[in-house]
Amino acid sequence: MTVDTTSLNRERNFFANDQTLWLFGYGSLIWKAEFPFHERRPAHIEGWARRFWQGSHDHRGTPGAPGRVATLIESPGALCQGMAYRIDADVLGPLDVREKNGYLRERVTLHFAEGDHAEGLIYLATADNAAFLGAAPLDEMARQIAAAHGPSGANRDYLLHLADALEQLGAEDRHVFGLATRVRGIREA
């Protein structure tokens, strides 16, 4: 099931249209930034854990065989590492379309390696969106990811690119790395 959140996101303006803002990428936005930006910096957010609990019916899967992509769940004490981009507000329009399958803009505090911080945005898919798949055993999720393909390519590529990008950042993410290990052990469908 897909749900188009594009119009909802256009109503969620947390920043003035004429200012630059920070966007935090924790999934494909880490390694696939196909939008203009002024600056790119490693960053993290606190109190959130990355999970492959969001269904992808439009990019990494199909309505009949959805893939699984990253979202965030609230997790006190957790730290989610990713990449922050300083962008112009008009960049959000195309990103709203890219993230339309259940993701909504939310405001967060980004923390940078140098010790400074800034307010920014994330795209968050919560349990109340129609494409949310939720938790499942890692082996089951790995089989689903290994088999799923969509208009943007193989779901396994999304996961493995993310795992590689997190390793390059020196990030710790047992969920992503555990899934990547399992998917690498499954022959491509």
Side-chain angles (χ1 to χ4, degrees):
M1 158 88 54
T2 61
V3 59
D4 190 338
T5 56
T6 306
S7 61
L8 290 172
N9 275 321
R10 295 202 171 136
E11 297 170 8
R12 299 172 71 82
N13 292 322
F14 300 107
F15 299 91
N17 287 335
D18 61 347
Q19 76 178 99
T20 63
L21 59 110
W22 285 101
L23 173 69
F24 180 74
Y26 58 88
S28 63
L29 291 179
I30 296 175
W31 54 269
K32 192 175 182 182
E34 298 174 324
F35 51 86
F37 56 88
H38 299 284
E39 186 178 358
R40 178 179 190 241
R41 295 172 67 185
H44 72 268
I45 57 175
E46 297 174 353
W48 296 95
R50 183 180 7 248
R51 294 291 182 265
F52 270 70
W53 291 4
Q54 177 67 4
S56 179
H57 305 80
D58 60 341
H59 285 292
R60 298 294 177 160
T62 62
R68 281 185 174 263
V69 291
T71 189
L72 298 171
I73 58 162
E74 288 190 76
S75 181
L79 186 137
C80 179
Q81 293 171 283
M83 192 62 67
Y85 300 90
R86 193 168 57 84
I87 61 172
D88 292 326
D90 62 359
V91 171
L92 292 174
L95 285 169
D96 290 343
V97 173
R98 175 177 168 166
E99 305 297 330
K100 70 183 179 188
N101 192 35
Y103 289 87
L104 292 174
R105 297 181 196 170
E106 294 293 340
R107 193 174 189 151
V108 294
T109 301
L110 285 65
H111 301 271
F112 300 102
E114 297 78 16
D116 55 330
H117 65 277
E119 291 299 307
L121 290 179
I122 57 171
Y123 281 89
L124 178 66
T126 61
D128 61 357
N129 83 82
F132 193 79
L133 298 175
L138 284 183
D139 288 333
E140 181 181 315
M141 286 193 285
R143 285 190 298 276
Q144 182 178 359
I145 290 167
H149 290 77
S152 296
N155 197 181
R156 71 183 300 123
D157 293 344
Y158 172 98
L159 168 64
L160 298 178
H161 286 309
L162 177 56
D164 290 345
L166 291 173
E167 286 177 6
Q168 290 172 12
L169 285 173
E172 295 290 327
D173 194 311
R174 290 177 44 187
H175 179 76
V176 171
F177 296 152
L179 279 172
T181 297
R182 285 166 173 82
V183 166
R184 285 183 184 111
I186 300 171
R187 293 188 185 265
E188 194 162 344

